[in-house]
């Protein structure tokens, strides 16, 4: 993409030709799907309906935050509460790829229902180039199945419309600027949500722990950024690990869980460098996580691996 204005013109024309009637838009609150949604609304007007799914796998305060972001972008949207069905779909699943497939399938089934209510079979998604490149297919190796690529069941009657399919993240940001979608000052958050930040089984209780730990990491890092102690990382989060570990409270040994904290710098998420966070900031994060999840999380690790060889997310 050379010229964002030209991209917007041709994307709107393509949307109008790919969507003869109505469409629903899978709107996650991330910049990719918000840009796709705004393009679809511009091209289709009232015929487009953005749907935001509350999967139960979201971060603290996410539903309200996303609603604010959509309002600022001028996007109408409906929230569909669906935590029960996502936890049911993930019951007993530990393999990260299987998690993504189950989540992808649950999303698609839900969107099929919502599309039925809207009277369409067209689903607009914010898929971007790295999503399908990393998901493999053809001659490519599968690095990771992105939920919005590999999870789509072959028997789905939905017809996908993906206006950002050829763009990389920095190009999406340029298009966002062109469209007047407010600069996204939040870090990227994966579509499968906290399910991939909970290693091993995904239960409401383990997701709650991951949610608390992620909120601590976000608050502490955002405070340090605001105080100019560190530059803003590309992404920063906590992962609840699968291996149980032993801690101590008073005279008692307790069996708890461990959390890994990660903060990386990156340009486009294709490569990343682990950040060297100040010791005091790390200490505060560990102290708060183990205090706010006392007896549940007893150990906090800091991930010092670049991408490659590690990915940004753990799973
Ligand atoms: P990795 O972990 O592959 O992540 O280095 C690169 C970027 O993609 C995000 N990510 C995902 N985003 N669905 C998404 O929408 C996914 O399944 C997924 N997995 C990873 C990750 O947070 C990082 O920004």
């Amino acid at each position: 993409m050379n010229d964002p204005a030209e991209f917007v013109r041709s994307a709107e024309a393509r949307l109008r030709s790919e969507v003869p009637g109505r469409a629903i838009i899978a709107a996650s609150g991330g910049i990719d799907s918000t840009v796709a949604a705004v393009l679809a609304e511009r091209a289709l007007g009232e015929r487009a309906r953005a749907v935001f799914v509350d999967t139960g796998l979201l971060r603290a305060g996410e539903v309200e935050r996303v609603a604010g972001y959509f309002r600022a972008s001028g996007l109408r949207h409906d929230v569909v509460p669906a935590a029960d069905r996502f936890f049911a779909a993930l019951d007993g699943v530990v393999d990260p790829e299987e998690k993504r497939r189950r989540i992808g399938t649950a999303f698609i089934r839900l969107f099929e229902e919502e599309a039925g209510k809207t009277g369409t079979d067209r689903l607009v998604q914010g898929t971007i180039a790295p999503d399908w490149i990393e998901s493999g297919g053809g001659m490519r190796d599968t690095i990771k199945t992105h939920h919005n690529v590999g999870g789509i069941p072959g028997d789905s009657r939905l017809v996908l419309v993906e206006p950002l399919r050829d763009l990389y993240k920095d190009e999406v940001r340029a298009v966002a600027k062109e469209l007047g979608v407010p600069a996204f000052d939040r870090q990227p958050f994966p579509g499968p949500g906290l399910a991939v930040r909970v290693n091993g089984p995904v239960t409401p209780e383990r997701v709650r722990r991951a949610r608390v730990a992620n909120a601590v990491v976000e608050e502490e890092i955002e405070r340090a950024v605001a105080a100019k102690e560190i530059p803003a990382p590309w992404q920063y989060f906590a992962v609840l690990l699968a291996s149980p570990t032993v801690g101590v409270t008073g005279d008692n040994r307790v069996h708890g869980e461990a959390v890994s904290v990660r903060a990386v710098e990156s340009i486009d998420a294709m490569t990343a460098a682990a950040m060297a966070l100040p010791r005091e900031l790390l200490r505060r994060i560990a102290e708060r996580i183990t205090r706010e999840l006392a007896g549940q999380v007893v150990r906090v690790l800091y991930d010092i691996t670049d991408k490659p060889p590690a990915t940004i997310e753990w799973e």
Side-chain angles (χ1 to χ4, degrees), residues 46-100:
E46 295 282 319
R47 285 152 50 203
R49 170 184 170 233
V51 172
F52 176 76
V53 182
D54 181 355
T55 58
L57 304 166
L58 300 170
R59 286 171 297 182
E62 191 103 45
V63 177
E64 301 73 27
R65 190 160 54 226
V66 166
Y69 185 51
F70 287 163
R71 259 196 310 279
S73 306
L75 190 67
R76 295 171 288 114
H77 78 289
D78 296 328
V79 179
V80 178
D84 289 352
R85 74 159 86 188
F86 279 85
F87 281 114
L90 290 166
D91 188 34
V93 180
V94 296
D95 174 54
E97 287 295 273
E98 185 62 18
K99 286 180 188 175
R100 285 188 169 80

Side-chain angles (χ1 to χ4, degrees), residues 28 32 100 130-131 134 143-148 169 188-193 196-197 234-235 237 262 268-272 307 310-315:
S28 71
D32 304 345
R100 285 188 169 80
D131 299 347
E134 295 197 342
I143 297 172
K144 160 172 23 203
T145 302
H146 283 254
H147 74 288
N148 53 357
K169 204 88 188 182
F189 183 62
V196 294
R197 294 191 180 164
W234 166 271
Q235 240 174 317
F237 55 88
R262 186 144 173 73
D268 57 9
M270 299 299 270
T271 62
K307 172 183 181 176
T311 49
I312 294 177
E313 303 289 344
W314 261 66
E315 299 201 327

Side-chain angles (χ1 to χ4, degrees), residues 137-182:
M139 301 292 284
R140 299 186 303 274
D141 284 344
T142 298
I143 297 172
K144 160 172 23 203
T145 302
H146 283 254
H147 74 288
N148 53 357
V149 182
I152 294 161
D155 64 351
S156 177
R157 59 174 200 88
L158 289 174
V159 179
L160 293 184
V161 179
E162 300 181 315
L164 310 181
R165 210 182 147 72
D166 296 326
L167 301 194
Y168 285 83
K169 204 88 188 182
D170 49 329
E171 296 174 314
V172 176
R173 291 195 170 129
V175 176
K177 196 164 170 203
E178 175 66 27
L179 289 172
V181 170

